[in-house]
Amino acid sequence: MDIYRRTVELLQTKLRIPPDYVVLFVSSATESWEIIAQSLTIEQSFHVYNGAFGQKWMEYARKLRPQVSGVSFGLEEELLVETLPVPSQTEIICLTQNETSNGTQVQSSMIVELRKRFPDLLLAVDATSSFGGIALPIEEADIWYASVQKCLGLPAGLGLLICSPHAVEKAQAVGENNHYNSLLFLLENAQKFQTSYTPNVLTIYLLMRVLENGETIEQIGIQTKQRAAAWYAFLEKLPGIQPLVINYTVRSDTVITVQAPPEVVKQVKEAALQHNILLGNGYGVWKENTFRIANFPAITEEEIQRLQEFLLVNIS
Ligand SMILES: *Cc1c(COP(=O)(O)O)cnc(C)c1O
């Protein structure tokens, strides 16, 4: 309980979680997909996505709530909030802030616009691969979730689910209480800094220590954005490969996706292995013709330099 309490305090001071938001510990981002469908959606959530993770979220939700719907948008497209065809029965809008499969992100200004256009609906945001890496407009949405193995640099097996007062009200209105991970049950336990099942205490402790030792999210975000800009500039100069995403306004700061012909991707990954470097595979439809570079805070300058030197020598 003390570790829980202290970790929440640090999330408030270092990552700017508003004091009236409730922080819940779950096992993964995937679990949060189900909790949102099970405990916050009576019939209909609406999903806006441009890649595999956003789509998977919709598919998981649809298994529990068959009326779930959604729209996809293009890789290079900014989210068009004004014309977003949100059905009138929608209870909750679901958005993936950083689409890990293709290295795109939704700008904070879009989240602000969504909130303005749909002030009465819940807004849920998957920030799994950006939370802890860049500053996010937490107070502009109702549910944020992430898992700790991405920007928080920790071993996998812990998820954070963060709820606004509006989300808590909606959970009470829905009244769903049939599962070990029903939101009402988690919220009730969280009031006492307890959980409904034995949580991943070791990783919660490690999260506490990482937050204690780390900078504020504003400082971390500045570094992440500088490093991302440097990565994109570096990649644009290399012949034979290029960033997958051309439109710099939707490029991810935390997941850098590099595109090349499949034979080049294969050869670079193999050469990297020879140098003890494991390049991130492409994902889903981008499996063969991209690889991905994590731009997470725990990565050191030396590691970035080592990878850039490798790419300079091995791509031509
Ligand atoms: C990694 C990831 C997930 C899944 O996270 P788990 O911890 O494996 O459940 C979900 N959404 C996004 C955007 C991700 O990057």
Side-chain angles (χ1 to χ4, degrees):
M1 288 163 65
D2 288 342
I3 295 172
Y4 192 154
R5 189 196 310 263
R6 174 82 183 127
T7 306
V8 170
E9 285 168 8
L10 286 161
L11 285 165
Q12 291 169 351
T13 53
K14 293 281 176 80
L15 298 194
R16 311 295 185 209
I17 305 303
D20 57 348
Y21 278 52
V22 184
V23 176
L24 303 168
F25 293 113
V26 294
S27 65
S28 64
T30 302
E31 188 183 2
S32 298
W33 288 341
E34 282 218 356
I35 293 172
I36 291 164
Q38 149 194 298
S39 300
L40 285 171
T41 313
I42 297 169
E43 284 189 335
Q44 196 160 322
S45 52
F46 181 73
H47 297 250
V48 192
Y49 60 93
N50 78 344
F53 283 99
Q55 188 176 350
K56 253 193 200 176
W57 181 3
M58 178 175 72
E59 286 160 6
Y60 272 65
R62 192 173 278 152
K63 286 185 191 175
L64 296 182
R65 300 289 181 264
Q67 291 187 49
V68 160
S69 64
V71 287
S72 62
F73 59 105
L75 183 76
E76 304 283 352
E77 275 173 40
E78 287 181 51
L79 190 67
L80 281 180
V81 175
E82 255 172 69
T83 53
L84 204 62
V86 179
S88 58
Q89 309 89 328
T90 299
E91 299 154 69
I92 176 163
I93 298 176
C94 300
L95 183 70
T96 303
Q97 193 278 326
N98 196 72
E99 178 50 73
T100 322
S101 65
N102 57 26
T104 55
Q105 71 176 333
V106 173
Q107 298 298 106
S108 293
S109 56
M110 301 297 157
I111 295 174
V112 173
E113 268 186 55
L114 259 180
R115 163 51 48 98
K116 264 201 205 126
R117 189 174 157 209
F118 303 102
D120 299 330
L121 300 186
L122 287 183
L123 180 55
V125 185
D126 181 339
T128 304
S129 55
S130 52
F131 187 81
I134 56 169
L136 294 164
I138 304 292
E139 61 289 341
E140 301 291 343
D142 298 294
I143 299 115
W144 293 84
Y145 61 87
S147 33
V148 298
Q149 74 272 20
K150 311 266 170 91
C151 284
L152 294 163
L154 290 165
L158 180 69
L160 294 169
L161 176 59
I162 299 167
C163 298
S164 74
H166 187 191
V168 173
E169 274 169 37
K170 168 87 184 192
Q172 283 157 351
V174 174
E176 188 283 309
N177 218 343
N178 295 330
H179 301 272
Y180 81 99
N181 62 0
S182 290
L183 192 50
L184 284 180
F185 197 24
L186 301 179
L187 288 167
E188 191 185 307
N189 278 280
Q191 286 185 342
K192 298 167 282 178
F193 297 100
Q194 293 178 354
T195 54
S196 69
Y197 58 95
T198 315
N200 187 340
V201 182
L202 175 59
T203 305
I204 299 173
Y205 172 79
L206 294 173
L207 174 60
M208 179 184 86
R209 300 288 288 160
V210 161
L211 292 169
E212 267 173 0
N213 292 327
E215 313 269 14
T216 63
I217 193 60
E218 289 81 8
Q219 291 165 298
I220 294 171
I222 288 169
Q223 178 185 278
T224 301
K225 283 175 185 284
Q226 281 170 350
R227 284 177 164 188
W231 260 122
Y232 286 117
F234 171 84
L235 292 165
E236 278 168 354
K237 276 193 251 144
L238 280 187
I241 65 170
Q242 57 173 14
L244 173 65
V245 182
I246 304 299
N247 179 358
Y248 64 91
T249 61
V250 301
R251 275 178 177 169
S252 169
D253 288 312
T254 52
V255 177
I256 290 154
T257 306
V258 186
Q259 184 179 36
E263 61 279 8
V264 175
V265 170
K266 190 161 175 277
Q267 174 254 315
V268 173
K269 286 199 297 200
E270 280 168 9
L273 268 188
Q274 302 292 316
H275 289 75
N276 268 324
I277 296 171
L278 184 61
L279 285 176
N281 285 328
Y283 194 95
V285 292
W286 304 106
K287 198 167 180 56
E288 307 296 332
N289 63 346
T290 65
F291 61 89
R292 293 175 300 162
I293 300 169
N295 185 35
F296 296 164
I299 293 166
T300 63
E301 291 297 334
E302 292 71 41
E303 288 166 328
I304 294 171
Q305 214 154 30
R306 204 173 129 225
L307 180 51
Q308 293 195 344
E309 275 160 22
F310 164 81
L311 291 171
L312 269 178
V313 173
N314 286 274
I315 291 180
S316 53

